[in-house]
Amino acid sequence: MGDYSQFVSKISSVKPDKGSISCSSPSNIALVKYWGKRPVQLPENPSISFTLDICKTETTLQYEKLENASEDFQFELFFEGEPKPDFKPKIQSFFQRISEYIPFLKHYKFIIDTSNTFPHSSGIASSASGMSALAYCLMQLDKQINPTITEEEYIQKTSFLSRLGSGSASRSIEGPITVWGKHKEVAESSDAYAIKFPYDVHPNFTNYQDTILLVDKGEKQVSSSVGHDLMHGHPFSSERFKQANENIIRLKDILMSGDLDGFIEVVESEALTLHAMMMTSLPYFVLMKPNTLSVINKIWEYRKETGSKICFTLDAGANVHILYPDSEKDGVMDFIKSELVVYCQKGQYICDKIGLGAKLL
Ligand code: 2P0
């Protein structure tokens, strides 16, 4: 379980009466994937991701101090301006998990107002951006109550709390590249929170582009939490966790040296391995759609014909993230418009790129 007592806020008698905090936090796309966890929200292997820039959640947290601390958490939730009772249980269990570290939660009534910049149910992971945005707002209040917290402790604790909401959310607080999960060759890495990739990144990866093709916007048949669970007792799990650890070392070297061919190999292999784990679990399931495979084949053809360094990765869904250097932007956009848009639902895609993480609005 680990001792995380450093993240327990001291109860302070000074509490602001009421106010409001707004922040934005982005989604992120894993290059080495997190798939498999143990209690509580700890990863079976380290992961590394690009923080995104455009796809994000904007959250406003209104808080009002109660006369007396209440028995339950008191909060109302609005999504894109409408009450959203469906999301309440997830927030309730998030509050439960973090109350040990944020003891003032029951001293306030909250109104949480949240919206995403990406299309509703686009299949883009909203738990990463949503949970990290809420954690970021709560930490702003924590900072007002406990002003002695240092900037470094503040960032770490925000990622720590985000992780307790959703594992991948821990990687959205900072950017452009973050690592979550302990690895002996990544200095200061931890299972409890994500850190900024602690080495110099080669300029080849500056402003790296991610165009997300919305291949299928339907509800997933299998949630990520069920998918993570299916890694327990999975016939290939221990080899998979070992491979992810090796891929972290490979990717660390690649990011430092600028080896774009190495990048393509690790990133595409990780994406296909993630889906291979889903296809070989019991029960087995397939989240890719025929158009996902058509896009992958087109990308391979384009790379062969042009020598481009474009590659793809996948999240737990059918959408395809197309990653490429900034210098190839014009050519790749022409290719996407002429060859790939036909595979997108309603022709929709999102032009994103790597970004810097959560911020106050
Ligand atoms: C990742 N995914 O590394 C992997 C790859 C999806 C595919 O983390 O149960 O929403 O909230 O910790 O973070 C999605 O799972 O799962 C995910 P929980 P999460 O980005």
Side-chain angles (χ1 to χ4, degrees):
M1 288 277 289
D3 173 17
Y4 301 126
S5 53
Q6 81 264 34
F7 293 120
V8 178
S9 294
K10 288 150 211 72
I11 290 255
S12 153
S13 54
V14 190
K15 294 197 189 69
D17 282 339
K18 63 192 286 189
S20 154
I21 296 159
S22 296
C23 82
S24 72
S25 189
S27 187
N28 66 72
I29 182 69
L31 305 170
V32 173
K33 309 293 184 180
Y34 150 58
W35 201 244
K37 65 176 170 181
R38 57 200 156 80
V40 176
Q41 291 289 98
L42 295 167
E44 291 284 12
N45 65 259
S47 56
I48 182 164
S49 55
F50 281 158
T51 303
L52 297 183
D53 188 43
I54 305 286
C55 291
K56 57 191 177 201
T57 298
E58 293 178 349
T59 296
T60 296
L61 179 75
Q62 291 179 55
Y63 53 91
E64 191 171 343
K65 197 165 76 179
L66 300 166
E67 288 279 325
N68 299 302
S70 88
E71 293 274 303
D72 300 317
F73 302 113
Q74 294 209 12
F75 65 97
E76 287 175 49
L77 189 70
F78 294 86
F79 179 67
E80 286 165 2
E82 304 286 330
K84 196 75 183 173
D86 304 5
F87 287 1
K88 279 194 104 172
K90 191 145 192 201
I91 305 295
Q92 172 77 26
S93 65
F94 176 55
F95 278 179
Q96 205 91 48
R97 274 191 199 149
I98 66 171
S99 59
E100 192 182 331
Y101 307 102
I102 307 265
F104 61 74
L105 282 180
K106 287 184 176 166
H107 296 250
Y108 282 94
K109 174 178 171 8
F110 297 105
I111 300 177
I112 304 161
D113 216 318
T114 187
S115 61
N116 294 334
T117 60
F118 41 90
H120 186 45
S121 49
S122 55
I124 294 181
S126 57
S127 66
S129 55
M131 284 299 174
S132 55
L134 181 55
Y136 195 91
C137 285
L138 288 167
M139 277 303 292
Q140 284 290 322
L141 183 54
D142 191 62
K143 196 154 92 171
Q144 289 179 39
I145 295 171
N146 301 288
T148 55
I149 190 165
T150 65
E151 189 57 24
E152 193 191 345
E153 288 166 340
Y154 168 75
I155 299 277
Q156 256 179 27
K157 186 170 170 185
T158 311
S159 173
F160 174 87
L161 297 180
S162 303
R163 169 183 63 87
L164 293 171
S166 185
S168 52
S170 66
R171 300 188 310 239
S172 282
I173 300 303
E174 293 185 283
I177 302 174
T178 62
V179 180
W180 169 44
K182 185 152 186 54
H183 193 293
K184 61 181 185 327
E185 296 199 25
V186 181
E188 308 293 325
S189 57
S190 168
D191 282 351
Y193 48 84
I195 58 165
K196 211 168 132 169
F197 181 71
Y199 307 101
D200 285 338
V201 176
H202 191 279
N204 279 353
F205 295 103
T206 306
N207 214 25
Y208 224 70
Q209 302 290 306
D210 178 2
T211 300
I212 308 163
L213 303 186
L214 304 181
V215 167
D216 187 80
K217 307 199 298 166
E219 282 287 304
K220 279 191 280 186
Q221 319 103 286
V222 182
S223 73
S224 287
S225 32
V226 171
H228 285 292
D229 269 352
L230 293 174
M231 288 303 279
H232 295 297
H234 190 293
F236 307 135
S237 60
S238 65
E239 280 305 309
R240 160 60 196 156
F241 302 144
K242 206 166 105 196
Q243 176 201 44
N245 275 279
E246 286 158 7
N247 280 341
I248 293 275
I249 301 180
R250 279 196 70 192
L251 196 59
K252 172 187 158 183
D253 293 343
I254 287 165
L255 291 170
M256 292 166 74
S257 67
D259 172 8
L260 292 172
D261 292 319
F263 182 81
I264 292 168
E265 192 173 281
V266 171
V267 168
E268 292 190 347
S269 162
E270 275 288 322
L272 294 177
T273 301
L274 168 71
H275 284 257
M277 290 300 110
M278 300 172 185
M279 291 193 267
T280 49
S281 62
L282 271 181
Y284 42 81
F285 58 103
V286 183
L287 295 184
M288 290 185 285
K289 297 283 181 193
N291 281 352
T292 311
L293 292 175
S294 299
V295 167
I296 290 174
N297 279 301
K298 283 280 178 191
I299 288 172
W300 285 341
E301 268 172 37
Y302 178 78
R303 203 159 67 211
K304 202 161 168 198
E305 282 165 12
T306 64
S308 162
K309 302 300 180 192
I310 184 176
C311 71
F312 72 86
T313 189
L314 306 167
D315 225 328
N319 295 335
V320 184
H321 288 246
I322 304 186
L323 304 177
Y324 50 99
D326 193 36
S327 58
E328 288 196 36
K329 206 154 129 185
D330 293 344
V332 171
M333 279 317 298
D334 286 346
F335 163 59
I336 289 172
K337 284 181 196 155
S338 63
E339 306 255 356
L340 301 184
V341 168
V342 290
Y343 300 111
C344 301
Q345 258 189 13
K346 298 193 193 141
Q348 283 185 299
Y349 59 92
I350 299 171
C351 294
D352 210 333
K353 59 182 187 320
I354 57 182
L356 294 178
K359 59 172 195 269
L360 271 180
L361 290 175

